[in-house]
């Protein structure tokens, strides 16, 4: 029978230390390794009188997954009930645990499908604790092999050569991991913090967002503000509650997507996750970028009022519904801009494009 999986996480801290803080999105970042596939990973979190768990499926070796967002209203929400308060409620701390299940089975007869649910472990490690003494020299699959007692410097360990690793070295690595282990029967726990107001915000001036679920349930009649072709859209960019200054204007990009394309791109999330909107793959091919020649800026204290010209050069279609996306962070370069929800679950900003220029909504 093979050994339970080895899991290493980032963006989590030791209990009694200053925890890493997540903004609007709660992410799982790290690595997990097993000889068998890892079909399931369960995250548990407890603090401030709340306890939640979330199960993720089909886990890759290198993990960067948005577990949940504050603005989501799903069948099994994690972030919002765990935070249990308004988004301006400040920083809240939680204890953290993970349980990993692999797909190892017991095979009694040749050709059968195997029995059992696989190996399960609730032990894990922090990347920062292991980087210098272990992970700077060995890959996670090599660490797994040392824990199992099968590591060699060639083949099984994947490091080339043919001789077995020095047994003392492997034993030293096992001792380091034993001391760094979180979860299991030990008292050491990981912690993290949530603060949805850490992200800077954007909003269409004078409007409230519209619930995305409402738009998707009845697109022909759901109401987005009307914007007339060759008119302008005014967008407010605002600092977060910590007052971290916004970046220079050239650091921000503005995009439009049709409602259908936006829904397909974001999946079950209210807005593109931090990992998506900050990735090299953003924007998607069907996003329409508003060029700098169509953008003008005005400073309002610590915030910006941005005017976007929506003209025929953008190639928009009437009467499509378009959703606004803004890419960029404040000066801490960590938390991306998100829609200012103003109390609307899964709220988005956008407009329905119209041809006539009478009764203009935006001036």
């Amino acid at each position: 029978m093979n050994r339970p999986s080895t899991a290493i996480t980032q963006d989590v801290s030791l209990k009694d230390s200053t925890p890493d803080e997540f903004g609007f999105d709660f992410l799982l970042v790290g690595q997990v390794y097993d000889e068998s596939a890892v079909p399931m990973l369960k995250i548990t979190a407890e603090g401030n009188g709340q306890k939640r768990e979330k199960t993720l499926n089909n886990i890759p070796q290198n993990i960067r997954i948005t577990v949940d967002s504050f603005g989501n209203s799903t069948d099994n929400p994690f972030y919002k009930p765990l935070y249990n308060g308004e988004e301006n409620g400040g920083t809240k701390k939680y204890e953290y645990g993970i349980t990993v299940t692999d797909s190892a089975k017991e095979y009694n007869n040749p050709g059968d499908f195997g029995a059992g649910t696989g190996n399960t472990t609730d032990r894990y490690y922090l990347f920062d604790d292991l980087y210098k003494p272990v992970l700077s020299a060995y890959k996670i699959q090599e660490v797994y092999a040392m824990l199992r007692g099968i590591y060699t410097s060639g083949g099984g360990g994947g490091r080339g050569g043919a001789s077995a690793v020095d047994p003392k070295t492997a034993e030293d690595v096992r001792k380091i991991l034993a001391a760094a282990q979180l979860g299991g029967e030990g008292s050491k726990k990981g912690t993290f913090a949530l603060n949805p107001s850490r992200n800077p915000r954007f909003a269409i001036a004078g409007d409230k967002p519209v619930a995305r679920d409402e738009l998707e349930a009845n697109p022909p009649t759901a109401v987005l503000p009307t914007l007339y072709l060759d008119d302008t859209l005014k967008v407010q960019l605002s600092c977060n509650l910590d007052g971290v200054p916004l970046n220079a204007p050239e650091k921000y990009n503005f995009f439009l997507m049709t409602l259908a394309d936006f829904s397909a791109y974001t999946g079950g999330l209210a807005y593109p996750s931090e990992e998506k909107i900050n990735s090299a793959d953003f924007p998607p091919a069907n996003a329409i970028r508003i060029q700098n020649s169509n953008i003008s800026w005005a400073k309002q204290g610590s915030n910006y009022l941005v005017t976007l010209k929506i003209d025929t050069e953008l190639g928009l279609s009437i009467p499509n519904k378009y959703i606004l996306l803004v890419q960029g962070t404040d000066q801490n370069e960590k938390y991306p801009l998100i829609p200012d929800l103003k109390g609307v679950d899964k709220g988005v900003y956008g407009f329905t494009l119209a041809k006539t220029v009478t009764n203009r909504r935006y001036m």
Side-chain angles (χ1 to χ4, degrees):
M1 189 174 182
N2 79 335
R3 178 187 169 80
S5 307
T6 299
I8 300 171
T9 67
Q10 296 175 235
D11 296 329
V12 175
S13 307
L14 282 173
K15 187 178 180 180
D16 300 328
S17 65
T18 301
D20 287 337
E21 187 170 310
F22 293 91
F24 206 72
D25 293 338
F26 175 58
L27 280 71
L28 174 65
V29 182
Q31 294 179 298
V32 63
Y33 184 78
D34 196 285
E35 289 182 324
S36 304
V38 179
M40 188 170 67
L41 186 151
K42 182 173 71 175
I43 297 174
T44 59
E46 185 173 5
N48 300 292
Q50 304 298 318
K51 184 175 182 178
R52 300 295 295 178
E53 64 179 44
K54 185 85 169 182
T55 298
L56 308 175
N57 298 309
N58 301 318
I59 308 302
Q61 178 177 321
N62 295 304
I63 308 168
R64 188 175 181 86
I65 300 173
T66 300
V67 177
D68 199 15
S69 296
F70 182 82
N72 281 350
S73 52
T74 60
D75 292 337
N76 183 26
F78 180 88
Y79 191 136
K80 201 163 189 176
L82 184 64
Y83 190 75
N84 193 33
E86 299 299 322
E87 61 183 292
N88 60 356
T91 299
K92 298 182 181 181
K93 300 177 182 179
Y94 304 89
E95 288 191 0
Y96 173 93
I98 62 174
T99 303
V100 181
T101 301
D102 68 22
S103 60
K105 306 283 186 179
E106 293 182 6
Y107 296 88
N108 298 316
N109 299 293
D112 69 15
F113 293 100
T117 57
N119 298 303
T120 296
T121 180
D122 58 359
R123 302 174 183 181
Y124 63 101
Y125 309 91
L126 300 186
F127 179 85
D128 288 352
D129 290 347
L130 295 185
Y131 177 74
K132 188 173 181 179
V134 177
L135 296 177
S136 60
Y138 301 100
K139 298 177 182 178
I140 188 172
Q141 55 265 44
E142 299 170 323
V143 174
Y144 174 90
M146 288 188 207
L147 286 171
R148 194 179 175 198
I150 60 170
Y151 176 77
T152 61
S153 61
R159 294 176 62 83
S163 61
V165 71
D166 176 4
K168 184 178 183 305
T169 300
E171 180 60 25
D172 288 344
V173 168
R174 287 193 287 270
K175 289 179 179 178
I176 292 170
L177 267 72
Q181 175 193 303
L182 302 182
E185 301 82 15
S187 60
K188 293 172 66 176
K189 304 290 185 182
T191 62
F192 66 93
L194 297 176
N195 185 354
S197 62
R198 287 301 303 267
N199 294 68
R201 302 290 202 269
F202 72 86
I204 292 178
D207 277 323
K208 288 191 69 173
V210 179
R212 176 179 148 180
D213 289 345
E214 176 187 338
L215 290 173
E216 292 174 343
N218 197 7
T221 57
V223 177
L224 277 172
T226 299
L227 183 73
Y228 300 98
L229 193 62
D230 292 321
D231 212 333
T232 58
L233 190 68
K234 294 189 182 294
V235 179
Q236 294 172 321
L237 306 188
S238 305
C239 298
N240 64 25
L241 293 182
D242 289 346
V244 177
L246 294 173
N247 267 318
E250 61 269 17
K251 295 278 191 175
Y252 298 101
N253 298 305
F254 299 83
F255 302 90
L256 297 171
M257 296 182 75
T258 66
L259 175 60
D261 288 341
F262 177 86
S263 298
Y265 180 65
T266 54
L269 297 177
Y271 188 73
S273 63
E274 176 184 330
E275 60 183 314
K276 273 193 171 183
I277 207 161
N278 285 340
S279 75
D281 295 330
F282 188 88
N286 51 15
I288 301 163
R289 181 171 180 174
I290 301 174
Q291 300 299 323
N292 290 337
S293 58
N294 282 35
I295 304 174
S296 60
W297 295 79
K299 199 81 186 304
Q300 294 186 326
S302 299
N303 304 322
Y304 289 117
L305 181 64
V306 188
T307 302
L308 310 177
K309 185 177 181 182
I310 308 301
D311 60 17
T312 55
E313 299 296 321
L314 295 175
L316 305 182
S317 299
I318 297 170
N320 270 350
K321 293 178 172 66
Y322 289 94
I323 305 301
L324 176 67
L325 298 89
V326 185
Q327 183 189 42
T329 67
D330 54 23
Q331 290 186 21
N332 69 19
E333 304 291 347
K334 182 175 181 180
Y335 302 103
L337 278 157
I338 58 170
D340 189 346
L341 296 180
K342 299 181 180 179
V344 177
D345 281 345
K346 295 184 75 172
V348 295
Y349 287 95
F351 57 84
T352 299
L353 190 64
K355 186 174 183 180
T356 178
V357 294
T358 58
N359 299 320
R360 290 186 175 184
R361 180 177 178 84
Y362 298 99
M363 302 299 294

